[in-house]
Structures are given as structure tokens and as C-alpha cells.
mmCIF file of all heavy atoms in Angstrom:
data_model
loop_
_atom_site.group_PDB
_atom_site.id
_atom_site.type_symbol
_atom_site.label_atom_id
_atom_site.label_comp_id
_atom_site.label_asym_id
_atom_site.label_seq_id
_atom_site.Cartn_x
_atom_site.Cartn_y
_atom_site.Cartn_z
ATOM 1 N N THR A 150 1.946 -1.905 -12.186
ATOM 2 C CA THR A 150 2.956 -2.880 -12.488
ATOM 3 C C THR A 150 2.737 -3.344 -13.921
ATOM 4 O O THR A 150 1.742 -2.970 -14.582
ATOM 5 C CB THR A 150 2.854 -4.091 -11.564
ATOM 6 O OG1 THR A 150 1.553 -4.746 -11.771
ATOM 7 C CG2 THR A 150 2.987 -3.708 -10.104
ATOM 8 N N ASP A 151 3.658 -4.188 -14.482
ATOM 9 C CA ASP A 151 3.476 -4.622 -15.823
ATOM 10 C C ASP A 151 3.043 -6.098 -15.872
ATOM 11 O O ASP A 151 2.923 -6.660 -16.950
ATOM 12 C CB ASP A 151 4.767 -4.439 -16.649
ATOM 13 C CG ASP A 151 5.914 -5.233 -16.077
ATOM 14 O OD1 ASP A 151 5.722 -5.901 -15.047
ATOM 15 O OD2 ASP A 151 7.045 -5.170 -16.686
ATOM 16 N N ASP A 152 2.836 -6.668 -14.714
ATOM 17 C CA ASP A 152 2.427 -8.128 -14.669
ATOM 18 C C ASP A 152 1.225 -8.412 -13.834
ATOM 19 O O ASP A 152 0.837 -9.556 -13.722
ATOM 20 C CB ASP A 152 3.633 -8.906 -14.121
ATOM 21 C CG ASP A 152 4.026 -8.430 -12.719
ATOM 22 O OD1 ASP A 152 3.389 -7.527 -12.153
ATOM 23 O OD2 ASP A 152 5.048 -9.000 -12.210
ATOM 24 N N GLY A 153 0.571 -7.377 -13.295
ATOM 25 C CA GLY A 153 -0.668 -7.612 -12.515
ATOM 26 C C GLY A 153 -0.406 -8.385 -11.274
ATOM 27 O O GLY A 153 -1.343 -8.888 -10.619
ATOM 28 N N SER A 154 0.837 -8.390 -10.768
ATOM 29 C CA SER A 154 1.106 -9.122 -9.512
ATOM 30 C C SER A 154 0.545 -8.379 -8.354
ATOM 31 O O SER A 154 0.354 -7.204 -8.346
ATOM 32 C CB SER A 154 2.641 -9.282 -9.340
ATOM 33 O OG SER A 154 3.255 -7.999 -9.183
ATOM 34 N N ASP A 155 0.198 -9.140 -7.283
ATOM 35 C CA ASP A 155 -0.430 -8.571 -6.089
ATOM 36 C C ASP A 155 0.531 -8.520 -4.937
ATOM 37 O O ASP A 155 0.164 -8.747 -3.779
ATOM 38 C CB ASP A 155 -1.702 -9.329 -5.757
ATOM 39 C CG ASP A 155 -1.439 -10.813 -5.482
ATOM 40 O OD1 ASP A 155 -0.268 -11.220 -5.683
ATOM 41 O OD2 ASP A 155 -2.355 -11.511 -5.044
ATOM 42 N N ARG A 156 1.767 -8.149 -5.195
ATOM 43 C CA ARG A 156 2.779 -8.004 -4.132
ATOM 44 C C ARG A 156 2.308 -6.972 -3.122
ATOM 45 O O ARG A 156 1.760 -5.962 -3.498
ATOM 46 C CB ARG A 156 4.158 -7.614 -4.688
ATOM 47 C CG ARG A 156 4.825 -8.668 -5.530
ATOM 48 C CD ARG A 156 6.132 -8.206 -6.102
ATOM 49 N NE ARG A 156 5.897 -7.103 -7.042
ATOM 50 C CZ ARG A 156 6.489 -5.897 -7.004
ATOM 51 N NH1 ARG A 156 7.342 -5.649 -6.008
ATOM 52 N NH2 ARG A 156 6.274 -5.011 -7.934
ATOM 53 N N ASP A 157 2.617 -7.200 -1.861
ATOM 54 C CA ASP A 157 2.278 -6.267 -0.814
ATOM 55 C C ASP A 157 3.420 -5.263 -0.655
ATOM 56 O O ASP A 157 4.513 -5.626 -0.251
ATOM 57 C CB ASP A 157 2.066 -7.007 0.511
ATOM 58 C CG ASP A 157 1.494 -6.097 1.604
ATOM 59 O OD1 ASP A 157 1.563 -4.891 1.430
ATOM 60 O OD2 ASP A 157 0.916 -6.625 2.596
ATOM 61 N N LEU A 158 3.206 -4.005 -1.032
ATOM 62 C CA LEU A 158 4.211 -3.015 -1.050
ATOM 63 C C LEU A 158 4.245 -2.143 0.242
ATOM 64 O O LEU A 158 4.970 -1.165 0.311
ATOM 65 C CB LEU A 158 4.051 -2.069 -2.221
ATOM 66 C CG LEU A 158 4.248 -2.645 -3.630
ATOM 67 C CD1 LEU A 158 4.038 -1.600 -4.690
ATOM 68 C CD2 LEU A 158 5.631 -3.256 -3.769
ATOM 69 N N ARG A 159 3.441 -2.527 1.256
ATOM 70 C CA ARG A 159 3.321 -1.666 2.402
ATOM 71 C C ARG A 159 4.653 -1.520 3.122
ATOM 72 O O ARG A 159 4.977 -0.401 3.592
ATOM 73 C CB ARG A 159 2.229 -2.191 3.336
ATOM 74 C CG ARG A 159 0.826 -1.848 2.795
ATOM 75 C CD ARG A 159 -0.280 -2.417 3.713
ATOM 76 N NE ARG A 159 -0.339 -3.867 3.599
ATOM 77 C CZ ARG A 159 -1.227 -4.590 4.215
ATOM 78 N NH1 ARG A 159 -2.151 -4.017 4.980
ATOM 79 N NH2 ARG A 159 -1.228 -5.913 4.046
ATOM 80 N N ALA A 160 5.403 -2.594 3.320
ATOM 81 C CA ALA A 160 6.660 -2.450 4.032
ATOM 82 C C ALA A 160 7.640 -1.543 3.265
ATOM 83 O O ALA A 160 8.302 -0.649 3.853
ATOM 84 C CB ALA A 160 7.286 -3.823 4.248
ATOM 85 N N ALA A 161 7.714 -1.739 1.987
ATOM 86 C CA ALA A 161 8.642 -0.882 1.148
ATOM 87 C C ALA A 161 8.152 0.555 1.141
ATOM 88 O O ALA A 161 8.969 1.505 1.193
ATOM 89 C CB ALA A 161 8.677 -1.423 -0.301
ATOM 90 N N ALA A 162 6.828 0.755 1.038
ATOM 91 C CA ALA A 162 6.301 2.087 1.058
ATOM 92 C C ALA A 162 6.539 2.790 2.414
ATOM 93 O O ALA A 162 6.802 3.990 2.426
ATOM 94 C CB ALA A 162 4.758 2.060 0.740
ATOM 95 N N PHE A 163 6.402 2.051 3.464
ATOM 96 C CA PHE A 163 6.654 2.601 4.813
ATOM 97 C C PHE A 163 8.101 3.122 4.889
ATOM 98 O O PHE A 163 8.396 4.231 5.361
ATOM 99 C CB PHE A 163 6.468 1.555 5.847
ATOM 100 C CG PHE A 163 6.570 2.002 7.284
ATOM 101 C CD1 PHE A 163 5.488 2.408 8.030
ATOM 102 C CD2 PHE A 163 7.838 2.071 7.892
ATOM 103 C CE1 PHE A 163 5.599 2.867 9.344
ATOM 104 C CE2 PHE A 163 7.981 2.526 9.200
ATOM 105 C CZ PHE A 163 6.836 2.928 9.932
ATOM 106 N N GLU A 164 9.047 2.340 4.411
ATOM 107 C CA GLU A 164 10.459 2.753 4.423
ATOM 108 C C GLU A 164 10.663 3.982 3.548
ATOM 109 O O GLU A 164 11.416 4.907 3.937
ATOM 110 C CB GLU A 164 11.379 1.604 3.992
ATOM 111 C CG GLU A 164 12.847 1.933 4.052
ATOM 112 C CD GLU A 164 13.709 0.716 3.771
ATOM 113 O OE1 GLU A 164 13.176 -0.374 3.517
ATOM 114 O OE2 GLU A 164 14.965 0.944 3.743
ATOM 115 N N LEU A 165 10.020 4.032 2.345
ATOM 116 C CA LEU A 165 10.112 5.160 1.505
ATOM 117 C C LEU A 165 9.635 6.460 2.170
ATOM 118 O O LEU A 165 10.288 7.477 2.121
ATOM 119 C CB LEU A 165 9.355 4.961 0.187
ATOM 120 C CG LEU A 165 9.105 6.171 -0.706
ATOM 121 C CD1 LEU A 165 10.406 6.615 -1.328
ATOM 122 C CD2 LEU A 165 8.030 5.919 -1.748
ATOM 123 N N LEU A 166 8.403 6.383 2.774
ATOM 124 C CA LEU A 166 7.763 7.529 3.346
ATOM 125 C C LEU A 166 8.387 8.042 4.626
ATOM 126 O O LEU A 166 8.388 9.251 4.914
ATOM 127 C CB LEU A 166 6.295 7.267 3.501
ATOM 128 C CG LEU A 166 5.507 6.934 2.196
ATOM 129 C CD1 LEU A 166 4.066 6.592 2.558
ATOM 130 C CD2 LEU A 166 5.532 8.091 1.283
ATOM 131 N N THR A 167 8.872 7.087 5.431
ATOM 132 C CA THR A 167 9.358 7.502 6.742
ATOM 133 C C THR A 167 10.897 7.528 6.878
ATOM 134 O O THR A 167 11.470 8.114 7.755
ATOM 135 C CB THR A 167 8.835 6.513 7.864
ATOM 136 O OG1 THR A 167 9.375 5.217 7.657
ATOM 137 C CG2 THR A 167 7.306 6.422 7.813
ATOM 138 N N GLY A 168 11.516 6.843 5.890
ATOM 139 C CA GLY A 168 12.967 6.699 5.956
ATOM 140 C C GLY A 168 13.468 5.750 7.009
ATOM 141 O O GLY A 168 14.663 5.630 7.299
ATOM 142 N N ALA A 169 12.538 4.873 7.541
ATOM 143 C CA ALA A 169 12.927 3.907 8.574
ATOM 144 C C ALA A 169 12.360 2.537 8.231
ATOM 145 O O ALA A 169 11.318 2.403 7.606
ATOM 146 C CB ALA A 169 12.403 4.355 9.940
ATOM 147 N N GLN A 170 13.039 1.491 8.658
ATOM 148 C CA GLN A 170 12.570 0.160 8.491
ATOM 149 C C GLN A 170 11.405 -0.065 9.495
ATOM 150 O O GLN A 170 11.481 0.290 10.628
ATOM 151 C CB GLN A 170 13.668 -0.869 8.847
ATOM 152 C CG GLN A 170 14.718 -0.937 7.780
ATOM 153 C CD GLN A 170 14.394 -1.870 6.651
ATOM 154 O OE1 GLN A 170 13.309 -2.495 6.660
ATOM 155 N NE2 GLN A 170 15.237 -1.901 5.639
ATOM 156 N N PRO A 171 10.256 -0.621 9.004
ATOM 157 C CA PRO A 171 9.151 -0.866 9.929
ATOM 158 C C PRO A 171 9.442 -2.056 10.831
ATOM 159 O O PRO A 171 10.156 -2.997 10.479
ATOM 160 C CB PRO A 171 7.968 -1.202 8.946
ATOM 161 C CG PRO A 171 8.646 -1.779 7.772
ATOM 162 C CD PRO A 171 9.977 -1.032 7.632
ATOM 163 N N ALA A 172 8.895 -1.981 12.030
ATOM 164 C CA ALA A 172 8.937 -3.143 12.949
ATOM 165 C C ALA A 172 8.060 -4.232 12.356
ATOM 166 O O ALA A 172 7.202 -3.964 11.536
ATOM 167 C CB ALA A 172 8.494 -2.712 14.328
ATOM 168 N N PRO A 173 8.258 -5.472 12.761
ATOM 169 C CA PRO A 173 7.377 -6.538 12.203
ATOM 170 C C PRO A 173 5.923 -6.197 12.361
ATOM 171 O O PRO A 173 5.436 -5.949 13.490
ATOM 172 C CB PRO A 173 7.765 -7.766 13.071
ATOM 173 C CG PRO A 173 9.178 -7.481 13.476
ATOM 174 C CD PRO A 173 9.286 -6.006 13.676
ATOM 175 N N GLY A 174 5.193 -6.221 11.255
ATOM 176 C CA GLY A 174 3.749 -5.940 11.248
ATOM 177 C C GLY A 174 3.347 -4.466 11.294
ATOM 178 O O GLY A 174 2.204 -4.112 11.183
ATOM 179 N N GLU A 175 4.328 -3.588 11.527
ATOM 180 C CA GLU A 175 3.993 -2.151 11.686
ATOM 181 C C GLU A 175 3.442 -1.573 10.401
ATOM 182 O O GLU A 175 2.432 -0.816 10.437
ATOM 183 C CB GLU A 175 5.237 -1.344 12.083
ATOM 184 C CG GLU A 175 4.947 0.119 12.359
ATOM 185 C CD GLU A 175 6.203 0.882 12.806
ATOM 186 O OE1 GLU A 175 7.315 0.277 12.662
ATOM 187 O OE2 GLU A 175 6.063 2.037 13.240
ATOM 188 N N ALA A 176 4.091 -1.817 9.272
ATOM 189 C CA ALA A 176 3.596 -1.287 7.998
ATOM 190 C C ALA A 176 2.219 -1.776 7.664
ATOM 191 O O ALA A 176 1.360 -1.010 7.176
ATOM 192 C CB ALA A 176 4.578 -1.651 6.889
ATOM 193 N N GLU A 177 1.971 -3.078 7.923
ATOM 194 C CA GLU A 177 0.659 -3.629 7.608
ATOM 195 C C GLU A 177 -0.404 -3.044 8.509
ATOM 196 O O GLU A 177 -1.608 -2.924 8.096
ATOM 197 C CB GLU A 177 0.694 -5.169 7.796
ATOM 198 C CG GLU A 177 1.563 -5.884 6.758
ATOM 199 C CD GLU A 177 3.036 -5.733 6.966
ATOM 200 O OE1 GLU A 177 3.453 -5.297 8.049
ATOM 201 O OE2 GLU A 177 3.802 -6.036 6.012
ATOM 202 N N ARG A 178 -0.072 -2.672 9.762
ATOM 203 C CA ARG A 178 -1.052 -2.066 10.665
ATOM 204 C C ARG A 178 -1.373 -0.599 10.277
ATOM 205 O O ARG A 178 -2.512 -0.192 10.373
ATOM 206 C CB ARG A 178 -0.550 -2.099 12.065
ATOM 207 C CG ARG A 178 -0.566 -3.465 12.738
ATOM 208 C CD ARG A 178 -0.414 -3.379 14.251
ATOM 209 N NE ARG A 178 0.796 -2.640 14.601
ATOM 210 C CZ ARG A 178 1.995 -3.167 14.724
ATOM 211 N NH1 ARG A 178 2.188 -4.474 14.514
ATOM 212 N NH2 ARG A 178 3.093 -2.411 15.078
ATOM 213 N N LYS A 179 -0.348 0.132 9.854
ATOM 214 C CA LYS A 179 -0.484 1.573 9.676
ATOM 215 C C LYS A 179 -0.887 1.930 8.260
ATOM 216 O O LYS A 179 -1.616 2.908 8.042
ATOM 217 C CB LYS A 179 0.744 2.320 10.034
ATOM 218 C CG LYS A 179 1.063 2.266 11.536
ATOM 219 C CD LYS A 179 2.227 3.175 11.917
ATOM 220 C CE LYS A 179 2.406 3.263 13.452
ATOM 221 N NZ LYS A 179 3.583 4.047 13.794
ATOM 222 N N LEU A 180 -0.376 1.228 7.266
ATOM 223 C CA LEU A 180 -0.676 1.600 5.902
ATOM 224 C C LEU A 180 -1.811 0.703 5.327
ATOM 225 O O LEU A 180 -1.957 -0.472 5.668
ATOM 226 C CB LEU A 180 0.542 1.420 5.000
ATOM 227 C CG LEU A 180 1.803 2.171 5.384
ATOM 228 C CD1 LEU A 180 2.883 2.007 4.300
ATOM 229 C CD2 LEU A 180 1.498 3.634 5.603
ATOM 230 N N ARG A 181 -2.620 1.342 4.445
ATOM 231 C CA ARG A 181 -3.664 0.624 3.800
ATOM 232 C C ARG A 181 -3.314 0.416 2.362
ATOM 233 O O ARG A 181 -2.494 1.157 1.760
ATOM 234 C CB ARG A 181 -4.991 1.380 3.863
ATOM 235 C CG ARG A 181 -5.562 1.495 5.268
ATOM 236 C CD ARG A 181 -7.033 1.846 5.248
ATOM 237 N NE ARG A 181 -7.804 0.799 4.547
ATOM 238 C CZ ARG A 181 -9.046 0.915 4.155
ATOM 239 N NH1 ARG A 181 -9.712 2.055 4.307
ATOM 240 N NH2 ARG A 181 -9.657 -0.039 3.526
ATOM 241 N N ALA A 182 -3.891 -0.661 1.725
ATOM 242 C CA ALA A 182 -3.563 -0.990 0.345
ATOM 243 C C ALA A 182 -4.795 -1.333 -0.398
ATOM 244 O O ALA A 182 -5.751 -1.948 0.159
ATOM 245 C CB ALA A 182 -2.573 -2.164 0.312
ATOM 246 N N TRP A 183 -4.849 -0.938 -1.704
ATOM 247 C CA TRP A 183 -5.945 -1.232 -2.549
ATOM 248 C C TRP A 183 -5.375 -1.796 -3.901
ATOM 249 O O TRP A 183 -4.307 -1.373 -4.307
ATOM 250 C CB TRP A 183 -6.796 -0.009 -2.918
ATOM 251 C CG TRP A 183 -7.461 0.636 -1.713
ATOM 252 C CD1 TRP A 183 -8.771 0.467 -1.372
ATOM 253 C CD2 TRP A 183 -6.900 1.556 -0.817
ATOM 254 N NE1 TRP A 183 -9.058 1.238 -0.236
ATOM 255 C CE2 TRP A 183 -7.925 1.909 0.122
ATOM 256 C CE3 TRP A 183 -5.651 2.153 -0.639
ATOM 257 C CZ2 TRP A 183 -7.677 2.799 1.148
ATOM 258 C CZ3 TRP A 183 -5.388 3.013 0.350
ATOM 259 C CH2 TRP A 183 -6.396 3.354 1.248
ATOM 260 N N ARG A 184 -6.068 -2.711 -4.528
ATOM 261 C CA ARG A 184 -5.598 -3.281 -5.788
ATOM 262 C C ARG A 184 -6.718 -3.242 -6.814
ATOM 263 O O ARG A 184 -7.904 -3.227 -6.457
ATOM 264 C CB ARG A 184 -5.081 -4.692 -5.650
ATOM 265 C CG ARG A 184 -3.796 -4.836 -4.839
ATOM 266 C CD ARG A 184 -2.631 -4.155 -5.540
ATOM 267 N NE ARG A 184 -2.452 -4.617 -6.926
ATOM 268 C CZ ARG A 184 -1.262 -4.736 -7.433
ATOM 269 N NH1 ARG A 184 -0.220 -4.464 -6.795
ATOM 270 N NH2 ARG A 184 -1.182 -5.082 -8.707
ATOM 271 N N SER A 185 -6.359 -3.218 -8.133
ATOM 272 C CA SER A 185 -7.235 -3.421 -9.202
ATOM 273 C C SER A 185 -8.420 -2.409 -9.154
ATOM 274 O O SER A 185 -8.167 -1.177 -9.012
ATOM 275 C CB SER A 185 -7.760 -4.871 -9.204
ATOM 276 O OG SER A 185 -8.442 -5.175 -10.368
ATOM 277 N N GLU A 186 -9.648 -2.848 -9.358
ATOM 278 C CA GLU A 186 -10.784 -1.951 -9.342
ATOM 279 C C GLU A 186 -10.954 -1.252 -8.027
ATOM 280 O O GLU A 186 -11.431 -0.135 -7.969
ATOM 281 C CB GLU A 186 -12.062 -2.713 -9.733
ATOM 282 C CG GLU A 186 -12.117 -3.146 -11.156
ATOM 283 C CD GLU A 186 -13.508 -3.519 -11.579
ATOM 284 O OE1 GLU A 186 -14.451 -3.448 -10.769
ATOM 285 O OE2 GLU A 186 -13.713 -3.947 -12.769
ATOM 286 N N GLY A 187 -10.528 -1.939 -6.912
ATOM 287 C CA GLY A 187 -10.628 -1.282 -5.616
ATOM 288 C C GLY A 187 -9.724 -0.058 -5.553
ATOM 289 O O GLY A 187 -10.079 0.946 -4.936
ATOM 290 N N ALA A 188 -8.530 -0.062 -6.222
ATOM 291 C CA ALA A 188 -7.645 1.085 -6.254
ATOM 292 C C ALA A 188 -8.269 2.226 -7.085
ATOM 293 O O ALA A 188 -8.229 3.397 -6.642
ATOM 294 C CB ALA A 188 -6.287 0.652 -6.870
ATOM 295 N N CYS A 189 -8.862 1.880 -8.213
ATOM 296 C CA CYS A 189 -9.525 2.911 -9.030
ATOM 297 C C CYS A 189 -10.718 3.510 -8.286
ATOM 298 O O CYS A 189 -10.843 4.776 -8.264
ATOM 299 C CB CYS A 189 -10.005 2.266 -10.318
ATOM 300 S SG CYS A 189 -8.699 1.621 -11.373
ATOM 301 N N GLU A 190 -11.457 2.673 -7.668
ATOM 302 C CA GLU A 190 -12.621 3.202 -6.891
ATOM 303 C C GLU A 190 -12.153 4.163 -5.766
ATOM 304 O O GLU A 190 -12.747 5.205 -5.589
ATOM 305 C CB GLU A 190 -13.391 2.029 -6.316
ATOM 306 C CG GLU A 190 -14.620 2.463 -5.480
ATOM 307 C CD GLU A 190 -15.304 1.269 -4.825
ATOM 308 O OE1 GLU A 190 -14.605 0.503 -4.199
ATOM 309 O OE2 GLU A 190 -16.519 1.142 -4.983
ATOM 310 N N HIS A 191 -11.072 3.773 -5.101
ATOM 311 C CA HIS A 191 -10.556 4.615 -4.002
ATOM 312 C C HIS A 191 -10.107 5.937 -4.567
ATOM 313 O O HIS A 191 -10.395 7.018 -3.973
ATOM 314 C CB HIS A 191 -9.432 3.893 -3.283
ATOM 315 C CG HIS A 191 -8.785 4.771 -2.232
ATOM 316 N ND1 HIS A 191 -9.426 5.010 -1.041
ATOM 317 C CD2 HIS A 191 -7.602 5.349 -2.197
ATOM 318 C CE1 HIS A 191 -8.623 5.766 -0.310
ATOM 319 N NE2 HIS A 191 -7.535 6.034 -0.965
ATOM 320 N N LEU A 192 -9.389 5.991 -5.677
ATOM 321 C CA LEU A 192 -8.926 7.200 -6.256
ATOM 322 C C LEU A 192 -10.064 8.109 -6.686
ATOM 323 O O LEU A 192 -10.072 9.326 -6.440
ATOM 324 C CB LEU A 192 -8.041 6.921 -7.464
ATOM 325 C CG LEU A 192 -7.452 8.147 -8.211
ATOM 326 C CD1 LEU A 192 -6.466 8.869 -7.262
ATOM 327 C CD2 LEU A 192 -6.692 7.721 -9.488
ATOM 328 N N PHE A 193 -11.182 7.489 -7.213
ATOM 329 C CA PHE A 193 -12.330 8.250 -7.567
ATOM 330 C C PHE A 193 -12.984 8.895 -6.324
ATOM 331 O O PHE A 193 -13.402 10.077 -6.349
ATOM 332 C CB PHE A 193 -13.369 7.361 -8.271
ATOM 333 C CG PHE A 193 -12.950 6.849 -9.568
ATOM 334 C CD1 PHE A 193 -13.591 5.807 -10.232
ATOM 335 C CD2 PHE A 193 -11.842 7.343 -10.231
ATOM 336 C CE1 PHE A 193 -13.237 5.304 -11.445
ATOM 337 C CE2 PHE A 193 -11.369 6.838 -11.457
ATOM 338 C CZ PHE A 193 -12.102 5.790 -12.045
ATOM 339 N N LEU A 194 -13.102 8.126 -5.246
ATOM 340 C CA LEU A 194 -13.692 8.581 -4.028
ATOM 341 C C LEU A 194 -12.878 9.748 -3.433
ATOM 342 O O LEU A 194 -13.423 10.696 -2.919
ATOM 343 C CB LEU A 194 -13.818 7.434 -2.987
ATOM 344 C CG LEU A 194 -14.783 6.331 -3.378
ATOM 345 C CD1 LEU A 194 -14.642 5.186 -2.369
ATOM 346 C CD2 LEU A 194 -16.279 6.843 -3.403
ATOM 347 N N VAL A 195 -11.553 9.617 -3.499
ATOM 348 C CA VAL A 195 -10.704 10.649 -2.943
ATOM 349 C C VAL A 195 -10.882 11.941 -3.747
ATOM 350 O O VAL A 195 -11.068 13.020 -3.168
ATOM 351 C CB VAL A 195 -9.181 10.207 -2.987
ATOM 352 C CG1 VAL A 195 -8.271 11.357 -2.748
ATOM 353 C CG2 VAL A 195 -8.949 9.070 -1.967
ATOM 354 N N ALA A 196 -10.811 11.840 -5.097
ATOM 355 C CA ALA A 196 -10.865 13.010 -5.903
ATOM 356 C C ALA A 196 -12.218 13.743 -5.797
ATOM 357 O O ALA A 196 -12.289 14.950 -5.884
ATOM 358 C CB ALA A 196 -10.579 12.649 -7.387
#
């Protein structure tokens, strides 16, 4: 992002990836999220 905001994108990402609106709490249960240094660390671990 360009503002460092910590918006939760899981619901929007769920809709993008599946093409369906998530049920209440479904995206938060199924998708994981990382921010800031945690996101970088996760990418390093994956690679």
C-alpha cells in the first residue's frame, strides 16, 4: 500500500480467488494474513 494501513484484505481476497462472497467469518477462518516484517519473513520462508 502507499499509506502503511493495516486493512484486513481477507474478505476481498477470498472473493477475488473464489469468485464468491464469503459467509460471515469464512474468509478470516480460511485465509491467513501477514503484515510488515512478518510478511517479508513469510516470503523468505516460502522461497
